[in-house]
Amino acid sequence: QKVSVEVLDHLEHLALVDFRDAEGVERLQKAIQFADQLHEVNTDGVEPMDSVLEDRCLYLREDDVTEGNCTKELLENAREKVEEYFVAPPGNIPLPKLEERETFLQGS
Amino acid sequence: AALNGGLRSQVSAALKEGRVAPTELCQRCLALIKSTNFLNAYITVAEETALKQAEESEERYRRGQPLGILDGIPIAVKDNFNTAGIETTCASNMLKGYISPYNATVVQKLLDQGAVLLGKTNLDEFAMGSGSTDGVFGPVRNPWSYSKQYKEKSVPKSHSEDEESNWVITGGSSGGSAAAVSSFTCFAALGSDTGGSTRNPAAHCGVVGLKPTYGLISRHGLIPLVNSMDVPGILTRCVDDAAVLLGSLAGHDPKDSTTIQDDFKPFELPNLTDVSKLSIGIPKEYHAPGLSSEILALWSKAADLFKKAGAKVVEVSLPHTRYSIVCYHVLCTAEVASNMARFDGLEYGHRSDMKDSTESMYAATRREGFNDVVRGRILSGNYFLLKQNYEKYFVKAQKVRRLIANDFVKVFRSGVDILLTPTTLSDAAPYTEFIQEDNRTRSAQDDILTQAANMAGLPAINVPTALSERGLPVGLQFIGRSFQEKQLLTVAKWFEKQVQFPMIQLEEVKRHDSDVFHHQKSASFS
């Protein structure tokens, strides 16, 4: 059961990472095949486990400000900035549709 | 002082008594790093800051006020831990040039105790891999490739073949740290362990590799792979040293809410002489397909060793073992898909020149910054997290995780104190052979014996046991109960004493420190 081009395209949108070539797609197919082995296990009545520390109370501290004021340090690692802002290209512009994008999937 | 001395018993004493100075130790390690450059164990060597730290340590010793055992001790840190003012790359183009603004908690703790940070060690990109071969700075070479023990056993296939093509991998993903400790360029190193990434290279490089219980040591500042399984790992040359490092790192951290709040008391390991009250479990499922007959024999011999010494040795069953690697595959890729989302080029790291839109900039940045392995896992993870797949794969895997964790609970409840298993399926493979298979296949094969401990959050340790027929290290693994590191390490130390694992005989080290070969141990266990 192969993954459809629609799903592959959807994944590229969600992950913002591309399959690049046939090998990339094949890699996903193999990964799914591998994961399918999970269905051999009977998990009736078994609760999913989020954390091995589920029996303990998570540590919560008081809602007091204990650190901060490090704008300068945090901005140092950004490539594009203006005053105290990180600068991003315009948003609200969706990625081009499959037919218009330069992606390996176009050929599929 | 010999570079191979135990921290508590020898090095610390030597420093206190002035027989060796911290600056001298630091300089020798730095020189050795330079002469073992071909190992590619280090990505960044922080020479200036290390020497400064060593000088400050020396001043403290002069005043008779050292901060503790770790004062003046040169250490190395895997390059996925944030280190203030020092580049942290995770061996990825995504973070090349990234200078951390802060220290990971474990790094801060080491520095607060006067340790000297020599540099950042090499790894698989973003800690994804089991060979330390898939980082952008190239693969790490196992120091044992250049050992007398390995060279004696290797038969060149032709006249033209030399050690250049014969070298073996370190295992991974903390290969740089393991190689650094193994080649004497530092006294201890930090690694990380999500599926075996500290224990696997420890086994291949003949060093002690400790994976602590999940929740014992802070992950704050460790660039996350799988938040529910990651732990900082400790690599040292002997079990006592691992206990020293553990003592300085463990404990609640308010900055990591997944660290438990129980009081942690650092401990010294007793010299166990009577093992008659011990119950050792041998999980039969760890006789995995592909386990080399050599390692099987060693494992069996180790079990006999405990038996002869009076311990109770029983075969036990962990029935879901063979699903742990599949379970890991799903949970790991899912958490990776989430964790890697932060790399978008806006606040730090690589940023593409693409300017058309935010999304296209993100996509281009990630296309340029991540290697195939990372991208593959992100895509797989997103697949398993799709609405139509969530129950079928992600939740299913979480249920299987509980079954795996319960297997261990049942066994420990039945009276078993410690489990004894192999750490790897075989000794280290030659690089040329290792790269024949892709990363995912290799990881699936190599993590099989180490992964379940991460699934269940249990502490586990690799103890170097003997040399293989090829002259390479083989280790065995002990798995303990949650937060029972003292018992785990006590047993590991007893075992270490019994097997007397031989010291690596390296030309480079010989040239630098003739003391090193003063106490040669012969292999008594193989």
Side-chain angles (χ1 to χ4, degrees), chain A residues 15 18 20 31 36 40-41 43 47 49-50 54 77 79 87 89-90, chain B residues 99 257-258 323 329 351 353 358 366-367 382 392-393 396 398 402:
Chain A
D18 65 322
R20 196 149 310 181
D36 281 335
E40 293 168 23
V41 188
T43 51
E47 283 297 301
M49 181 182 237
D50 289 316
E54 61 188 2
N77 278 301
R79 219 189 83 172
V87 179
Chain B
I99 311 278
S257 56
T258 60
Y323 293 107
H329 166 72
R351 178 174 174 144
D353 290 331
T358 317
R366 292 156 70 80
R367 172 177 230 273
N382 274 295
K392 231 175 59 160
Y393 290 98
K396 180 78 179 177
Q398 287 191 307
R402 183 177 296 284

PDB file of all heavy atoms in Angstrom, chain A residues 15 18 20 31 36 40-41 43 47 49-50 54 77 79 87 89-90, chain B residues 99 257-258 323 329 351 353 358 366-367 382 392-393 396 398 402:
ATOM      1  N   ALA A  15       5.643  19.440   7.435  1.00  0.00           N
ATOM      2  CA  ALA A  15       6.986  19.329   7.988  1.00  0.00           C
ATOM      3  C   ALA A  15       7.886  20.468   7.544  1.00  0.00           C
ATOM      4  O   ALA A  15       8.917  20.723   8.159  1.00  0.00           O
ATOM      5  CB  ALA A  15       7.607  17.999   7.567  1.00  0.00           C
ATOM      6  N   ASP A  18      11.462  18.678   2.578  1.00  0.00           N
ATOM      7  CA  ASP A  18      11.053  18.010   1.334  1.00  0.00           C
ATOM      8  C   ASP A  18      11.625  16.600   1.198  1.00  0.00           C
ATOM      9  O   ASP A  18      12.620  16.260   1.819  1.00  0.00           O
ATOM     10  CB  ASP A  18      11.490  18.863   0.139  1.00  0.00           C
ATOM     11  CG  ASP A  18      13.001  18.950   0.039  1.00  0.00           C
ATOM     12  OD1 ASP A  18      13.662  19.029   1.100  1.00  0.00           O
ATOM     13  OD2 ASP A  18      13.530  18.928  -1.084  1.00  0.00           O
ATOM     14  N   ARG A  20      12.880  15.410  -1.488  1.00  0.00           N
ATOM     15  CA  ARG A  20      14.057  15.581  -2.337  1.00  0.00           C
ATOM     16  C   ARG A  20      14.176  14.616  -3.514  1.00  0.00           C
ATOM     17  O   ARG A  20      14.481  15.023  -4.599  1.00  0.00           O
ATOM     18  CB  ARG A  20      15.353  15.522  -1.530  1.00  0.00           C
ATOM     19  CG  ARG A  20      16.554  16.071  -2.289  1.00  0.00           C
ATOM     20  CD  ARG A  20      17.596  16.714  -1.414  1.00  0.00           C
ATOM     21  NE  ARG A  20      17.048  17.683  -0.504  1.00  0.00           N
ATOM     22  CZ  ARG A  20      17.787  18.387   0.362  1.00  0.00           C
ATOM     23  NH1 ARG A  20      19.073  18.217   0.410  1.00  0.00           N
ATOM     24  NH2 ARG A  20      17.221  19.238   1.170  1.00  0.00           N
ATOM     25  N   ALA A  31       9.802   3.043   6.348  1.00  0.00           N
ATOM     26  CA  ALA A  31       9.545   3.385   7.743  1.00  0.00           C
ATOM     27  C   ALA A  31       8.144   2.944   8.155  1.00  0.00           C
ATOM     28  O   ALA A  31       7.942   2.448   9.259  1.00  0.00           O
ATOM     29  CB  ALA A  31       9.710   4.889   7.952  1.00  0.00           C
ATOM     30  N   ASP A  36       4.568  -0.928  10.965  1.00  0.00           N
ATOM     31  CA  ASP A  36       3.376  -1.792  10.916  1.00  0.00           C
ATOM     32  C   ASP A  36       3.508  -3.017  11.804  1.00  0.00           C
ATOM     33  O   ASP A  36       2.509  -3.626  12.173  1.00  0.00           O
ATOM     34  CB  ASP A  36       3.065  -2.201   9.467  1.00  0.00           C
ATOM     35  CG  ASP A  36       2.359  -1.093   8.697  1.00  0.00           C
ATOM     36  OD1 ASP A  36       1.699  -0.251   9.358  1.00  0.00           O
ATOM     37  OD2 ASP A  36       2.455  -1.054   7.454  1.00  0.00           O
ATOM     38  N   GLU A  40       1.146  -6.264  15.483  1.00  0.00           N
ATOM     39  CA  GLU A  40       1.179  -7.666  15.922  1.00  0.00           C
ATOM     40  C   GLU A  40       0.944  -7.780  17.421  1.00  0.00           C
ATOM     41  O   GLU A  40       0.643  -8.847  17.940  1.00  0.00           O
ATOM     42  CB  GLU A  40       2.558  -8.271  15.615  1.00  0.00           C
ATOM     43  CG  GLU A  40       2.881  -8.419  14.141  1.00  0.00           C
ATOM     44  CD  GLU A  40       4.353  -8.750  13.914  1.00  0.00           C
ATOM     45  OE1 GLU A  40       4.992  -9.284  14.863  1.00  0.00           O
ATOM     46  OE2 GLU A  40       4.866  -8.481  12.825  1.00  0.00           O
ATOM     47  N   VAL A  41       1.137  -6.652  18.133  1.00  0.00           N
ATOM     48  CA  VAL A  41       1.042  -6.696  19.589  1.00  0.00           C
ATOM     49  C   VAL A  41      -0.391  -6.437  20.046  1.00  0.00           C
ATOM     50  O   VAL A  41      -1.033  -5.489  19.597  1.00  0.00           O
ATOM     51  CB  VAL A  41       1.965  -5.640  20.231  1.00  0.00           C
ATOM     52  CG1 VAL A  41       2.012  -5.816  21.735  1.00  0.00           C
ATOM     53  CG2 VAL A  41       3.357  -5.693  19.626  1.00  0.00           C
ATOM     54  N   THR A  43      -2.801  -4.906  22.418  1.00  0.00           N
ATOM     55  CA  THR A  43      -2.761  -3.850  23.432  1.00  0.00           C
ATOM     56  C   THR A  43      -4.156  -3.565  23.994  1.00  0.00           C
ATOM     57  O   THR A  43      -4.430  -2.466  24.458  1.00  0.00           O
ATOM     58  CB  THR A  43      -2.179  -2.543  22.851  1.00  0.00           C
ATOM     59  OG1 THR A  43      -2.873  -2.229  21.637  1.00  0.00           O
ATOM     60  CG2 THR A  43      -0.704  -2.669  22.565  1.00  0.00           C
ATOM     61  N   GLU A  47      -3.303   1.199  28.653  1.00  0.00           N
ATOM     62  CA  GLU A  47      -3.301   2.652  28.551  1.00  0.00           C
ATOM     63  C   GLU A  47      -2.009   3.133  27.903  1.00  0.00           C
ATOM     64  O   GLU A  47      -0.946   2.599  28.183  1.00  0.00           O
ATOM     65  CB  GLU A  47      -3.390   3.277  29.955  1.00  0.00           C
ATOM     66  CG  GLU A  47      -4.774   3.234  30.565  1.00  0.00           C
ATOM     67  CD  GLU A  47      -5.749   4.047  29.728  1.00  0.00           C
ATOM     68  OE1 GLU A  47      -5.530   5.264  29.538  1.00  0.00           O
ATOM     69  OE2 GLU A  47      -6.726   3.450  29.237  1.00  0.00           O
ATOM     70  N   MET A  49       1.334   5.216  27.406  1.00  0.00           N
ATOM     71  CA  MET A  49       2.258   5.760  28.405  1.00  0.00           C
ATOM     72  C   MET A  49       2.919   7.018  27.846  1.00  0.00           C
ATOM     73  O   MET A  49       3.623   6.956  26.852  1.00  0.00           O
ATOM     74  CB  MET A  49       3.333   4.717  28.732  1.00  0.00           C
ATOM     75  CG  MET A  49       4.325   5.187  29.768  1.00  0.00           C
ATOM     76  SD  MET A  49       5.595   3.947  30.075  1.00  0.00           S
ATOM     77  CE  MET A  49       5.420   3.707  31.817  1.00  0.00           C
ATOM     78  N   ASP A  50       2.666   8.157  28.507  1.00  0.00           N
ATOM     79  CA  ASP A  50       3.283   9.410  28.069  1.00  0.00           C
ATOM     80  C   ASP A  50       4.687   9.566  28.620  1.00  0.00           C
ATOM     81  O   ASP A  50       5.577  10.066  27.960  1.00  0.00           O
ATOM     82  CB  ASP A  50       2.489  10.627  28.556  1.00  0.00           C
ATOM     83  CG  ASP A  50       1.166  10.756  27.832  1.00  0.00           C
ATOM     84  OD1 ASP A  50       1.154  10.581  26.602  1.00  0.00           O
ATOM     85  OD2 ASP A  50       0.163  11.033  28.502  1.00  0.00           O
ATOM     86  N   GLU A  54       5.096   9.040  35.216  1.00  0.00           N
ATOM     87  CA  GLU A  54       3.669   9.333  35.321  1.00  0.00           C
ATOM     88  C   GLU A  54       3.123   9.206  36.737  1.00  0.00           C
ATOM     89  O   GLU A  54       2.098   9.775  37.059  1.00  0.00           O
ATOM     90  CB  GLU A  54       2.877   8.424  34.388  1.00  0.00           C
ATOM     91  CG  GLU A  54       3.032   6.953  34.717  1.00  0.00           C
ATOM     92  CD  GLU A  54       2.422   6.025  33.692  1.00  0.00           C
ATOM     93  OE1 GLU A  54       1.896   6.494  32.664  1.00  0.00           O
ATOM     94  OE2 GLU A  54       2.474   4.803  33.930  1.00  0.00           O
ATOM     95  N   ASN A  77      22.111  35.821  18.005  1.00  0.00           N
ATOM     96  CA  ASN A  77      22.198  34.669  17.119  1.00  0.00           C
ATOM     97  C   ASN A  77      21.286  34.755  15.910  1.00  0.00           C
ATOM     98  O   ASN A  77      21.292  33.865  15.071  1.00  0.00           O
ATOM     99  CB  ASN A  77      21.882  33.389  17.906  1.00  0.00           C
ATOM    100  CG  ASN A  77      23.094  32.888  18.663  1.00  0.00           C
ATOM    101  OD1 ASN A  77      24.119  32.602  18.065  1.00  0.00           O
ATOM    102  ND2 ASN A  77      22.990  32.807  19.964  1.00  0.00           N
ATOM    103  N   ARG A  79      19.964  36.192  12.324  1.00  0.00           N
ATOM    104  CA  ARG A  79      20.625  36.780  11.152  1.00  0.00           C
ATOM    105  C   ARG A  79      19.983  38.096  10.745  1.00  0.00           C
ATOM    106  O   ARG A  79      20.648  39.049  10.383  1.00  0.00           O
ATOM    107  CB  ARG A  79      20.562  35.789   9.988  1.00  0.00           C
ATOM    108  CG  ARG A  79      21.829  35.764   9.157  1.00  0.00           C
ATOM    109  CD  ARG A  79      21.668  34.950   7.912  1.00  0.00           C
ATOM    110  NE  ARG A  79      21.046  35.728   6.845  1.00  0.00           N
ATOM    111  CZ  ARG A  79      20.923  35.310   5.582  1.00  0.00           C
ATOM    112  NH1 ARG A  79      21.344  34.108   5.265  1.00  0.00           N
ATOM    113  NH2 ARG A  79      20.358  36.049   4.677  1.00  0.00           N
ATOM    114  N   VAL A  87      13.237  39.595  12.176  1.00  0.00           N
ATOM    115  CA  VAL A  87      12.565  39.966  10.932  1.00  0.00           C
ATOM    116  C   VAL A  87      12.288  38.728  10.088  1.00  0.00           C
ATOM    117  O   VAL A  87      13.187  37.949   9.792  1.00  0.00           O
ATOM    118  CB  VAL A  87      13.419  40.958  10.115  1.00  0.00           C
ATOM    119  CG1 VAL A  87      12.739  41.325   8.820  1.00  0.00           C
ATOM    120  CG2 VAL A  87      13.699  42.206  10.954  1.00  0.00           C
ATOM    121  N   PRO A  89      10.230  37.156   6.502  1.00  0.00           N
ATOM    122  CA  PRO A  89       9.617  37.545   5.233  1.00  0.00           C
ATOM    123  C   PRO A  89       8.098  37.592   5.415  1.00  0.00           C
ATOM    124  O   PRO A  89       7.592  37.080   6.415  1.00  0.00           O
ATOM    125  CB  PRO A  89      10.012  36.420   4.263  1.00  0.00           C
ATOM    126  CG  PRO A  89      11.052  35.640   4.960  1.00  0.00           C
ATOM    127  CD  PRO A  89      10.871  35.843   6.421  1.00  0.00           C
ATOM    128  N   PRO A  90       7.361  38.162   4.473  1.00  0.00           N
ATOM    129  CA  PRO A  90       5.915  38.295   4.662  1.00  0.00           C
ATOM    130  C   PRO A  90       5.227  36.958   4.939  1.00  0.00           C
ATOM    131  O   PRO A  90       5.534  35.950   4.319  1.00  0.00           O
ATOM    132  CB  PRO A  90       5.424  38.895   3.338  1.00  0.00           C
ATOM    133  CG  PRO A  90       6.590  38.930   2.435  1.00  0.00           C
ATOM    134  CD  PRO A  90       7.828  38.749   3.228  1.00  0.00           C
TER     135      PRO A  90
ATOM    136  N   ILE B  99      26.519  30.236  18.541  1.00  0.00           N
ATOM    137  CA  ILE B  99      27.217  30.370  19.826  1.00  0.00           C
ATOM    138  C   ILE B  99      26.155  30.428  20.911  1.00  0.00           C
ATOM    139  O   ILE B  99      25.359  31.375  20.977  1.00  0.00           O
ATOM    140  CB  ILE B  99      28.067  31.666  19.874  1.00  0.00           C
ATOM    141  CG1 ILE B  99      28.932  31.792  18.625  1.00  0.00           C
ATOM    142  CG2 ILE B  99      28.884  31.714  21.159  1.00  0.00           C
ATOM    143  CD1 ILE B  99      30.215  31.022  18.630  1.00  0.00           C
ATOM    144  N   SER B 257      11.617  20.505  34.566  1.00  0.00           N
ATOM    145  CA  SER B 257      10.557  19.975  35.417  1.00  0.00           C
ATOM    146  C   SER B 257      10.407  18.469  35.304  1.00  0.00           C
ATOM    147  O   SER B 257       9.599  17.887  36.008  1.00  0.00           O
ATOM    148  CB  SER B 257       9.232  20.665  35.108  1.00  0.00           C
ATOM    149  OG  SER B 257       8.926  20.538  33.738  1.00  0.00           O
ATOM    150  N   THR B 258      11.188  17.824  34.428  1.00  0.00           N
ATOM    151  CA  THR B 258      11.126  16.365  34.387  1.00  0.00           C
ATOM    152  C   THR B 258      12.192  15.734  35.278  1.00  0.00           C
ATOM    153  O   THR B 258      12.390  14.519  35.254  1.00  0.00           O
ATOM    154  CB  THR B 258      11.284  15.817  32.946  1.00  0.00           C
ATOM    155  OG1 THR B 258      12.543  16.211  32.416  1.00  0.00           O
ATOM    156  CG2 THR B 258      10.168  16.321  32.049  1.00  0.00           C
ATOM    157  N   TYR B 323       9.809  -5.780  20.213  1.00  0.00           N
ATOM    158  CA  TYR B 323       9.019  -4.674  19.680  1.00  0.00           C
ATOM    159  C   TYR B 323       9.549  -3.322  20.119  1.00  0.00           C
ATOM    160  O   TYR B 323       9.051  -2.287  19.684  1.00  0.00           O
ATOM    161  CB  TYR B 323       7.550  -4.819  20.104  1.00  0.00           C
ATOM    162  CG  TYR B 323       6.901  -6.012  19.476  1.00  0.00           C
ATOM    163  CD1 TYR B 323       6.610  -7.154  20.211  1.00  0.00           C
ATOM    164  CD2 TYR B 323       6.629  -6.011  18.104  1.00  0.00           C
ATOM    165  CE1 TYR B 323       6.053  -8.259  19.606  1.00  0.00           C
ATOM    166  CE2 TYR B 323       6.062  -7.112  17.495  1.00  0.00           C
ATOM    167  CZ  TYR B 323       5.783  -8.240  18.254  1.00  0.00           C
ATOM    168  OH  TYR B 323       5.238  -9.338  17.658  1.00  0.00           O
ATOM    169  N   HIS B 329      11.060   3.545  17.092  1.00  0.00           N
ATOM    170  CA  HIS B 329      11.048   4.123  15.758  1.00  0.00           C
ATOM    171  C   HIS B 329       9.880   5.099  15.615  1.00  0.00           C
ATOM    172  O   HIS B 329      10.050   6.226  15.142  1.00  0.00           O
ATOM    173  CB  HIS B 329      10.982   2.976  14.752  1.00  0.00           C
ATOM    174  CG  HIS B 329      10.629   3.354  13.365  1.00  0.00           C
ATOM    175  ND1 HIS B 329      11.479   4.023  12.525  1.00  0.00           N
ATOM    176  CD2 HIS B 329       9.505   3.120  12.638  1.00  0.00           C
ATOM    177  CE1 HIS B 329      10.900   4.195  11.350  1.00  0.00           C
ATOM    178  NE2 HIS B 329       9.711   3.661  11.388  1.00  0.00           N
ATOM    179  N   ARG B 351      19.990  30.323   8.237  1.00  0.00           N
ATOM    180  CA  ARG B 351      18.821  30.953   7.624  1.00  0.00           C
ATOM    181  C   ARG B 351      19.048  31.042   6.135  1.00  0.00           C
ATOM    182  O   ARG B 351      20.079  31.524   5.685  1.00  0.00           O
ATOM    183  CB  ARG B 351      18.594  32.341   8.200  1.00  0.00           C
ATOM    184  CG  ARG B 351      17.404  33.072   7.539  1.00  0.00           C
ATOM    185  CD  ARG B 351      17.128  34.380   8.224  1.00  0.00           C
ATOM    186  NE  ARG B 351      16.100  35.136   7.534  1.00  0.00           N
ATOM    187  CZ  ARG B 351      15.196  35.884   8.149  1.00  0.00           C
ATOM    188  NH1 ARG B 351      15.187  35.958   9.473  1.00  0.00           N
ATOM    189  NH2 ARG B 351      14.298  36.558   7.458  1.00  0.00           N
ATOM    190  N   ASP B 353      18.522  32.294   2.207  1.00  0.00           N
ATOM    191  CA  ASP B 353      18.367  33.618   1.591  1.00  0.00           C
ATOM    192  C   ASP B 353      16.983  33.818   0.988  1.00  0.00           C
ATOM    193  O   ASP B 353      16.622  34.906   0.580  1.00  0.00           O
ATOM    194  CB  ASP B 353      19.417  33.810   0.485  1.00  0.00           C
ATOM    195  CG  ASP B 353      20.812  33.956   1.059  1.00  0.00           C
ATOM    196  OD1 ASP B 353      20.933  34.446   2.190  1.00  0.00           O
ATOM    197  OD2 ASP B 353      21.780  33.556   0.375  1.00  0.00           O
ATOM    198  N   THR B 358       7.255  33.624   4.615  1.00  0.00           N
ATOM    199  CA  THR B 358       7.774  32.981   5.824  1.00  0.00           C
ATOM    200  C   THR B 358       7.920  31.481   5.608  1.00  0.00           C
ATOM    201  O   THR B 358       8.959  30.900   5.881  1.00  0.00           O
ATOM    202  CB  THR B 358       6.813  33.214   7.012  1.00  0.00           C
ATOM    203  OG1 THR B 358       6.377  34.560   7.001  1.00  0.00           O
ATOM    204  CG2 THR B 358       7.517  32.954   8.312  1.00  0.00           C
ATOM    205  N   ARG B 366      15.296  24.721   6.175  1.00  0.00           N
ATOM    206  CA  ARG B 366      15.354  23.355   6.672  1.00  0.00           C
ATOM    207  C   ARG B 366      15.886  22.400   5.610  1.00  0.00           C
ATOM    208  O   ARG B 366      16.542  21.404   5.890  1.00  0.00           O
ATOM    209  CB  ARG B 366      13.959  22.956   7.169  1.00  0.00           C
ATOM    210  CG  ARG B 366      13.572  23.749   8.418  1.00  0.00           C
ATOM    211  CD  ARG B 366      12.063  23.840   8.597  1.00  0.00           C
ATOM    212  NE  ARG B 366      11.477  22.566   8.950  1.00  0.00           N
ATOM    213  CZ  ARG B 366      11.484  22.068  10.178  1.00  0.00           C
ATOM    214  NH1 ARG B 366      12.055  22.719  11.147  1.00  0.00           N
ATOM    215  NH2 ARG B 366      10.902  20.908  10.410  1.00  0.00           N
ATOM    216  N   ARG B 367      15.611  22.719   4.381  1.00  0.00           N
ATOM    217  CA  ARG B 367      16.142  21.934   3.275  1.00  0.00           C
ATOM    218  C   ARG B 367      17.657  22.020   3.267  1.00  0.00           C
ATOM    219  O   ARG B 367      18.361  21.041   3.036  1.00  0.00           O
ATOM    220  CB  ARG B 367      15.550  22.497   1.980  1.00  0.00           C
ATOM    221  CG  ARG B 367      16.107  21.949   0.713  1.00  0.00           C
ATOM    222  CD  ARG B 367      15.364  22.570  -0.484  1.00  0.00           C
ATOM    223  NE  ARG B 367      14.935  21.533  -1.389  1.00  0.00           N
ATOM    224  CZ  ARG B 367      15.680  21.044  -2.364  1.00  0.00           C
ATOM    225  NH1 ARG B 367      16.886  21.499  -2.564  1.00  0.00           N
ATOM    226  NH2 ARG B 367      15.227  20.083  -3.127  1.00  0.00           N
ATOM    227  N   ASN B 382       5.988  13.015  11.126  1.00  0.00           N
ATOM    228  CA  ASN B 382       4.772  13.727  10.754  1.00  0.00           C
ATOM    229  C   ASN B 382       3.727  12.778  10.193  1.00  0.00           C
ATOM    230  O   ASN B 382       2.530  12.966  10.377  1.00  0.00           O
ATOM    231  CB  ASN B 382       5.080  14.845   9.756  1.00  0.00           C
ATOM    232  CG  ASN B 382       5.477  16.141  10.443  1.00  0.00           C
ATOM    233  OD1 ASN B 382       4.684  16.753  11.140  1.00  0.00           O
ATOM    234  ND2 ASN B 382       6.719  16.539  10.294  1.00  0.00           N
ATOM    235  N   LYS B 392      -3.500   4.768  15.295  1.00  0.00           N
ATOM    236  CA  LYS B 392      -2.936   3.542  14.742  1.00  0.00           C
ATOM    237  C   LYS B 392      -1.453   3.375  15.031  1.00  0.00           C
ATOM    238  O   LYS B 392      -0.961   2.279  15.224  1.00  0.00           O
ATOM    239  CB  LYS B 392      -3.131   3.549  13.214  1.00  0.00           C
ATOM    240  CG  LYS B 392      -3.772   2.290  12.665  1.00  0.00           C
ATOM    241  CD  LYS B 392      -4.072   2.372  11.172  1.00  0.00           C
ATOM    242  CE  LYS B 392      -2.882   2.631  10.296  1.00  0.00           C
ATOM    243  NZ  LYS B 392      -3.142   2.222   8.889  1.00  0.00           N
ATOM    244  N   TYR B 393      -0.728   4.490  15.024  1.00  0.00           N
ATOM    245  CA  TYR B 393       0.715   4.404  15.187  1.00  0.00           C
ATOM    246  C   TYR B 393       1.209   5.019  16.486  1.00  0.00           C
ATOM    247  O   TYR B 393       1.807   4.348  17.305  1.00  0.00           O
ATOM    248  CB  TYR B 393       1.434   5.057  13.990  1.00  0.00           C
ATOM    249  CG  TYR B 393       1.312   4.281  12.710  1.00  0.00           C
ATOM    250  CD1 TYR B 393       0.360   4.623  11.746  1.00  0.00           C
ATOM    251  CD2 TYR B 393       2.132   3.175  12.461  1.00  0.00           C
ATOM    252  CE1 TYR B 393       0.239   3.896  10.573  1.00  0.00           C
ATOM    253  CE2 TYR B 393       2.019   2.452  11.285  1.00  0.00           C
ATOM    254  CZ  TYR B 393       1.062   2.814  10.347  1.00  0.00           C
ATOM    255  OH  TYR B 393       0.939   2.097   9.187  1.00  0.00           O
ATOM    256  N   LYS B 396      -0.726   3.736  19.625  1.00  0.00           N
ATOM    257  CA  LYS B 396      -0.403   2.298  19.664  1.00  0.00           C
ATOM    258  C   LYS B 396       0.999   2.106  20.231  1.00  0.00           C
ATOM    259  O   LYS B 396       1.219   1.263  21.106  1.00  0.00           O
ATOM    260  CB  LYS B 396      -0.493   1.699  18.262  1.00  0.00           C
ATOM    261  CG  LYS B 396      -0.176   0.220  18.178  1.00  0.00           C
ATOM    262  CD  LYS B 396      -1.331  -0.633  18.645  1.00  0.00           C
ATOM    263  CE  LYS B 396      -0.990  -2.110  18.535  1.00  0.00           C
ATOM    264  NZ  LYS B 396      -2.052  -2.980  19.030  1.00  0.00           N
ATOM    265  N   GLN B 398       2.630   4.100  22.142  1.00  0.00           N
ATOM    266  CA  GLN B 398       2.635   4.462  23.558  1.00  0.00           C
ATOM    267  C   GLN B 398       2.102   3.319  24.427  1.00  0.00           C
ATOM    268  O   GLN B 398       2.532   3.129  25.565  1.00  0.00           O
ATOM    269  CB  GLN B 398       1.777   5.705  23.795  1.00  0.00           C
ATOM    270  CG  GLN B 398       2.415   6.989  23.298  1.00  0.00           C
ATOM    271  CD  GLN B 398       1.673   8.203  23.792  1.00  0.00           C
ATOM    272  OE1 GLN B 398       0.457   8.310  23.618  1.00  0.00           O
ATOM    273  NE2 GLN B 398       2.373   9.116  24.417  1.00  0.00           N
ATOM    274  N   ARG B 402       4.191   0.948  27.310  1.00  0.00           N
ATOM    275  CA  ARG B 402       3.794   0.548  28.660  1.00  0.00           C
ATOM    276  C   ARG B 402       4.045  -0.942  28.870  1.00  0.00           C
ATOM    277  O   ARG B 402       4.518  -1.368  29.932  1.00  0.00           O
ATOM    278  CB  ARG B 402       2.318   0.855  28.922  1.00  0.00           C
ATOM    279  CG  ARG B 402       1.897   0.509  30.346  1.00  0.00           C
ATOM    280  CD  ARG B 402       0.455   0.873  30.617  1.00  0.00           C
ATOM    281  NE  ARG B 402       0.239   2.307  30.532  1.00  0.00           N
ATOM    282  CZ  ARG B 402       0.595   3.164  31.466  1.00  0.00           C
ATOM    283  NH1 ARG B 402       1.185   2.750  32.557  1.00  0.00           N
ATOM    284  NH2 ARG B 402       0.349   4.460  31.294  1.00  0.00           N
TER     285      ARG B 402
END
